[in-house]
Amino acid sequence: MGNYLLRRLIVALPSLLGISLILFVLLALAPGDPFGELASNPNIPPEVREALRVKFGMDDPILVRYLHWLVAMMHGDWGFSFASRINVDTLILQRIPTTLYVIGTAQLLALAVALPIGVYAAMRPYSVFDQIANTVAFIGFSLPTFFTGLLLILIFSVNLGWLPFVYRADINATGWQWVWEYIKQAIMPVAVLGLFQAASYTRYIRSAVLDVIRLDYVTTARSKGLAERNVIIKHVVRNALIPVVTLVALQMPSVFGGAIITEQIFRIPGIGSLLISAILANDTPVIMAVTFVFACLVVLFNLVADILYGWLDPRISFR
């Protein structure tokens, strides 16, 4: 396993370098200047602006700036945020726990809903339950997250007043009251993301289970007298989860991107809102760091998917 992980990391390095170079060149060629606000401020002398541009190498050639950025990244220096006036790594570390909490909980909710519904619907195809599940899944997948988010805010925050519609990082409470307030403010964003993903997962799990449940080895397992519960769990679901792992692993980076909309709706201080504010302020170091983190997530979740393949299918070897 160790040698396999090492080989995958070595193969991933050229891909990450290529992605980082493309991102850096695109951001460098994009219109806008992170020092544009300073240029329009009459209180800042021109020599100060020029000194800042020289300090951060804004007038250097693109390749030279990229090499400086790459060397700094390898030494753990992610750059300096022009808008927030702090280091980029500190800024990301402040935001990423909130994003991981919301997205991680949403994915657990999606799998907890999609797995039993998808499996049960596949075991009884074209039944009333299957038709209702398919209809609800189509509706949930068709509704965009910004619509469902605003709908939940209108119902549970404006009309009923049960849940807060603004996510707060500084909760004025202690003990169990703090825990309850922290959970309560995450209910709506987690529901929006989780149920949207659950609609997609349900359809995919149902299709995967239907493909597996008709295979010969499932019929053989039943003919040997195994209990239906053991046949479904050990033989059907375990093999049907192999393509589902691919779907979940490939969609996880896009979930981080899709969370940008949800974070904007509920004012969640996460990575998505950080990226939007950085784009609006032309804060290129933050934009570069966040997009590079998304690229690393793609590589990471593909690696996790390959490891799960070996756990689900004993025929796969990592030697």
Side-chain angles (χ1 to χ4, degrees), residues 133-155:
N134 286 331
T135 302
V136 174
F138 275 124
I139 294 174
F141 189 72
S142 301
L143 295 177
T145 54
F146 68 84
F147 175 79
T148 54
L150 294 175
L151 182 63
L152 291 183
I153 289 175
L154 182 63
I155 295 175

Side-chain angles (χ1 to χ4, degrees), residues 242-319:
I242 294 177
V244 175
V245 166
T246 304
L247 174 70
V248 175
L250 294 180
Q251 281 196 352
M252 277 303 295
S254 63
V255 170
F256 277 85
I260 295 176
I261 300 174
T262 305
E263 289 185 3
Q264 289 295 105
I265 293 174
F266 296 99
R267 298 295 186 266
I268 300 175
I271 294 295
S273 59
L274 174 63
L275 180 60
I276 293 297
S277 60
I279 292 174
L280 294 176
N282 291 319
D283 199 352
T284 51
V286 177
I287 301 173
M288 185 65 198
V290 174
T291 50
F292 186 70
V293 167
F294 284 167
C296 292
L297 287 175
V298 175
V299 176
L300 174 63
F301 283 111
N302 275 275
L303 179 60
V304 171
D306 290 341
I307 295 174
L308 290 177
Y309 291 155
W311 176 69
L312 292 171
D313 192 346
R315 297 171 297 178
I316 298 177
S317 175
F318 295 110
R319 295 179 181 178

Side-chain angles (χ1 to χ4, degrees), residues 76-147:
D77 182 8
W78 288 37
F80 185 80
S81 173
F82 302 128
S84 302
R85 305 294 192 269
I86 60 175
N87 292 330
V88 174
D89 54 350
T90 303
L91 190 60
I92 291 179
L93 289 176
Q94 291 175 352
R95 299 294 193 99
I96 202 167
T98 303
T99 297
L100 291 178
Y101 167 66
V102 173
I103 291 180
T105 308
Q107 288 303 299
L108 292 177
L109 174 64
L111 292 175
V113 171
L115 272 174
I117 293 179
V119 173
Y120 193 80
M123 292 173 59
R124 291 163 175 79
Y126 309 111
S127 63
V128 175
F129 179 86
D130 184 30
Q131 294 177 9
I132 294 176
N134 286 331
T135 302
V136 174
F138 275 124
I139 294 174
F141 189 72
S142 301
L143 295 177
T145 54
F146 68 84
F147 175 79

Side-chain angles (χ1 to χ4, degrees), residues 167-178:
Y167 195 101
R168 295 176 54 195
D170 52 340
I171 299 176
N172 296 323
T174 57
W176 288 107
Q177 182 65 27
W178 181 88

Side-chain angles (χ1 to χ4, degrees), residues 21-44:
L21 178 60
I22 293 173
L23 289 174
F24 195 93
V25 172
L26 290 177
L27 289 176
L29 296 177
D33 188 349
F35 293 102
E37 182 181 354
L38 299 180
S40 60
N41 192 340
N43 296 322
I44 299 178

